[in-house]
Amino acid sequence: MLFKKTAVIGHPVDHSLSPTIHNYWIKNLRMNVPDYKKIDVQPEGFNDEINNLVDQGYYGLNVTVPLKELAYKIADQLSDVSKATKAVNTLVFKNGIIFGTNTDPVGFESSLAKNIIENKIKNKKCLVLGAGGSARAIIYALDKMSGKISVYNRTAEKVIALKKEMKINIEVLDDAETNKRLEEFSFIVNTTSLGLPSGPQNDLVDFRNATRSCFVYDLIYKPRETGFMKQAQANDLTVQNGLNMLVGQAAASFYIWHGVNPKVSADLIQTLATD
Ligand code: ATR
């Protein structure tokens, strides 16, 4: 039996919920593998640290902020989804090869109820706020789900570059247009870092202009209820945070490493809700 050592790397990584999720599955599925660890890795010296971890016998790593692009660069082989999103959140070390993929898009899709995909995304207008690494994952997933995508980002040039690179049909919006046309969207997703604790609040849209049936998603899960979500709820809109996406991307990584599809149980979500 091969002992598959796995961990999450990031900087900082202390507050990562990934160990709670993976170790929950490792324990409940009685996997014959070591505990999933968290390892602080600084961007400087990233390649040396990866080689170190390979020498220590690591089989797989999750990669979080700010290392996803460095992980993309170090990989010998990349999945199509990584190529499209220019990011790697999952590394596999096998036969002397570093393989990189990105499970964020599938994590996002799996976090959505079927009726939301059918009624709010498929052939419907979806608004993405932001154009960073997370936005790429969401745009990739929305495109696969046949959403019609519009993007607003503070720095418009980034959206234009993203559109060119991803070769996805995206409408580029400015601030004024976004709010003027908010009622057109049946799905609005925040991928910016606005709303994280100790950072500025997210006031990018005025939900008074949205249609009542619009579904609002915030990728942030800390806090579990962001100001963005509260503003949407105050206007009678249905909201979702990023917790289930976090679990979804973890499940996809778990499958890649261990060949086992872990269950996303209510008990696990409950464990995380209080973590
Ligand atoms: P991630 O990998 O989580 O997506 P990122 O690539 O650094 O992180 O992207 C952060 C996103 O949040 C960007 O869309 C960024 O907008 P810019 O491209 O204009 O920088 C957005 N963002 C961060 N702070 C912001 C702020 N104060 N106002 C508006 N957008 C902000």
Side-chain angles (χ1 to χ4, degrees), residues 228-239:
F228 184 77
M229 289 163 65
K230 283 183 189 151
Q231 287 169 38
Q233 279 172 313
N235 288 282
D236 295 332
L237 306 180
T238 312
V239 300

Side-chain angles (χ1 to χ4, degrees), residues 160-219:
I160 294 160
L162 177 155
K163 179 177 174 176
K164 213 166 142 194
E165 281 172 26
M166 293 187 77
K167 299 184 185 72
I168 290 177
N169 191 16
I170 292 168
E171 181 187 36
V172 187
L173 294 179
D174 66 20
D175 186 16
E177 268 177 315
T178 303
N179 274 297
K180 210 165 96 193
R181 294 178 37 202
L182 207 64
E183 65 174 5
E184 292 176 20
F185 300 101
S186 56
F187 188 88
I188 299 176
V189 52
N190 173 54
T191 74
T192 75
S193 47
L194 292 169
L196 283 169
S198 76
Q201 271 306 313
N202 186 346
D203 294 317
L204 294 179
V205 296
D206 184 344
F207 287 111
R208 283 177 301 184
N209 300 332
T211 161
R212 281 278 172 87
S213 58
C214 176
F215 189 82
V216 176
Y217 197 118
D218 196 338
L219 254 53

Side-chain angles (χ1 to χ4, degrees), residues 65 68 129-136 152-156 158 191-194 200 204:
V65 184
K68 290 184 185 182
L129 302 173
S134 309
R136 282 176 184 258
Y152 165 72
N153 191 49
R154 174 179 60 178
T155 316
K158 265 197 188 166
T191 74
T192 75
S193 47
L194 292 169
L204 294 179

